[in-house]
Amino acid sequence: MVLLLHVIPATSALMYILVMSHVARLSTAKLCGTAAVIQSRKLANFLQNQSEDLLKTYLSKQGEGFPQTTSLCKEPVEGFPEGQVTDMKPNEMLRSIYVTLRHLDGHFQTLRRQQLDLVSPPSDPLHKKLTDTHNRIQDLAGNIKCLLEEVPPEISITSSSSGRGVFKQKMVGCTVLRKYSEFLKQVVSGLNHVISRRSATRGKGIQRIQKKVLRLG
C-alpha cells in the first residue's frame, strides 16, 4: 500500500493559520458581535411587522368615541430620540436604541397595567399582544446592551400618564404605540447599516493578512 500525503505549501498553511487566528480574535473579542446584530435585526423586524396590528387592536378596544386613527395620538411622551437614530455614528446609535428600549420597557409596564383595568376580560387578545411585545422588547434591549462598548447608567423612568384621566391615559398609550412603531423602522434600518459595516471591516482585516503573507512568500 502506498500512503499518499497531501503537502500544503508553506505560504498557504501560514495564510490559513493567520486568517483563522484573526477570526478567532474577532470571535473572542466580540462575543456579542455580528451574530447578535443579525439576531437583533431579525427581532426588531418582527416587532415592526407586528406593531401595526398591535396598534389597530389597541384602538379597537378603547371604547365607543375613541378615535380609530393615530393622527390624534400626539400626547407628550418621554424617552424617544429626537431626530433619526440612523443619522448617528454606530456606537451612538446603539446607545440611543438601548436607552429608548429601556424607556419602552417602562411605558409597556404602565400600558399593560392600565389596559388590564380598562379592558375585560383578562383573556382579551390585546393583553396577550401587549405582554408578548413587552417581553420581546426586553429581549431586544438585552441584545443591544451586549453590543454596547459602554453601558449607560440605569435609567429612571417616570410614567408619562400617571395622574391623568382615563381618556388621556388612552391617548398616551396610543401615542406610545405609534411612536414605538415609527422607532422600530429606524432600528431595523440602523442595524442593517451596522451589519454592513462590520462585514466590511472583517473582510478588510482578512485581506490585510493575506497581503502580508503573500509578501512573506
Side-chain angles (χ1 to χ4, degrees):
M1 174 183 285
V2 178
L3 180 62
L4 297 178
L5 297 178
H6 177 64
V7 180
I8 301 176
T11 301
S12 298
L14 178 59
M15 182 182 294
Y16 176 79
I17 292 170
L18 289 175
V19 168
M20 292 309 296
S21 175
H22 175 72
V23 171
R25 282 201 307 274
L26 285 174
S27 300
T28 303
K30 294 287 185 180
L31 294 176
C32 298
T34 303
V37 184
I38 293 173
Q39 183 183 26
S40 299
R41 191 267 312 273
K42 288 180 179 178
L43 181 53
N45 192 54
F46 174 82
L47 287 170
Q48 201 277 316
N49 289 336
Q50 297 293 314
S51 64
E52 291 296 327
D53 178 65
L54 174 60
L55 184 50
K56 287 179 182 178
T57 303
Y58 176 87
L59 292 174
S60 70
K61 299 293 182 178
Q62 300 313 302
E64 186 177 351
F66 193 82
Q68 296 300 297
T69 174
T70 60
S71 60
L72 300 177
C73 300
K74 297 180 179 179
E75 294 294 316
V77 175
E78 296 180 356
F80 288 91
E82 297 181 5
Q84 300 288 316
V85 297
T86 49
D87 292 336
M88 302 175 183
K89 294 180 179 179
N91 288 335
E92 182 185 1
M93 180 189 67
L94 290 172
R95 185 183 189 282
S96 179
I97 290 173
Y98 173 72
V99 170
T100 304
L101 289 170
R102 291 291 295 114
H103 280 286
L104 279 166
D105 182 6
H107 287 315
F108 267 77
Q109 287 181 32
T110 301
L111 196 54
R112 288 174 59 191
R113 184 174 64 251
Q114 290 173 347
Q115 290 302 300
L116 279 171
D117 292 337
L118 298 171
V119 178
S120 297
S123 59
D124 190 279
L126 174 63
H127 300 307
K128 184 177 188 311
K129 290 180 180 181
L130 286 172
T131 300
D132 289 347
T133 300
H134 187 195
N135 289 338
R136 290 190 173 103
I137 286 172
Q138 292 173 328
D139 291 341
L140 183 56
N143 285 355
I144 299 298
K145 181 179 181 180
C146 188
L147 296 167
L148 294 175
E149 292 182 356
E150 182 178 349
V151 179
E154 195 59 33
I155 300 163
S156 176
I157 302 170
T158 302
S159 172
S160 56
S161 59
S162 58
R164 301 189 181 190
V166 171
F167 184 81
K168 278 290 186 182
Q169 290 179 5
K170 292 179 179 181
M171 291 299 289
V172 170
C174 175
T175 303
V176 167
L177 294 179
R178 176 183 64 80
K179 293 175 75 70
Y180 159 72
S181 181
E182 294 170 352
F183 168 69
L184 285 173
K185 293 177 183 177
Q186 296 184 50
V187 174
V188 173
S189 178
L191 292 177
N192 279 332
H193 180 62
V194 172
I195 290 170
S196 297
R197 283 176 61 93
R198 291 194 177 208
S199 297
T201 300
R202 180 169 179 161
K204 288 178 181 178
I206 292 176
Q207 287 176 3
R208 284 196 299 269
I209 289 174
Q210 291 173 334
K211 288 178 181 178
K212 288 181 181 178
V213 172
L214 290 174
R215 284 199 298 268
L216 290 172

